[in-house]
Amino acid sequence: MTTSPISATQPDENLYPYVMRVTGCRSMVLRTIFAGASDWSRATVHVDYKRTVGYGEPSTIEVVDVFELTEDRSKFAVVTIIYDTVPVRSEFNNL
């Protein structure tokens, strides 16, 4: 499951195909990786995510992704995506 400010909580098999369909020219610049000091089953990345939505102009949003890993730490169990939706919400209104 993935939780996103605009897309809410959805199964990964629904969310990621949707994101790939409505966005283009995607790129990320990694700012920081955070690993849990007391809980190794959680990690966080801080990125600048540049993309277009529909036929719009490219824009960059600052994003924090929180990953909760499976018990054996081999896969993501849950992903929470955090970013300010105010500057980009209008890009999704016409989809």
Side-chain angles (χ1 to χ4, degrees):
M1 296 295 283
T2 299
T3 300
S4 167
I6 287 184
S7 301
T9 299
Q10 294 188 37
D12 298 336
E13 58 270 13
N14 294 345
L15 177 66
Y16 291 104
Y18 168 76
V19 169
M20 298 306 266
R21 190 174 62 252
V22 301
T23 63
C25 302
R26 294 171 291 277
S27 66
M28 289 188 193
V29 174
L30 179 64
R31 288 179 167 219
T32 309
I33 298 174
F34 302 94
S38 62
D39 183 357
W40 286 94
S41 67
R42 293 178 187 236
T44 303
V45 296
H46 180 199
V47 299
D48 289 327
Y49 178 46
K50 183 177 182 178
R51 82 289 181 270
T52 59
V53 176
Y55 296 104
E57 293 296 315
S59 62
T60 301
I61 57 176
E62 186 176 350
V63 179
V64 174
D65 291 340
V66 181
F67 300 96
E68 295 180 36
L69 306 175
T70 57
E71 191 172 318
D72 66 358
R73 297 186 197 115
S74 65
K75 299 178 184 174
F76 300 139
V78 176
V79 179
T80 302
I81 303 168
I82 303 166
Y83 60 93
D84 183 4
T85 62
V86 171
V88 297
R89 182 166 293 280
S90 64
E91 295 175 349
F92 291 87
N93 289 343
N94 297 323
L95 296 178

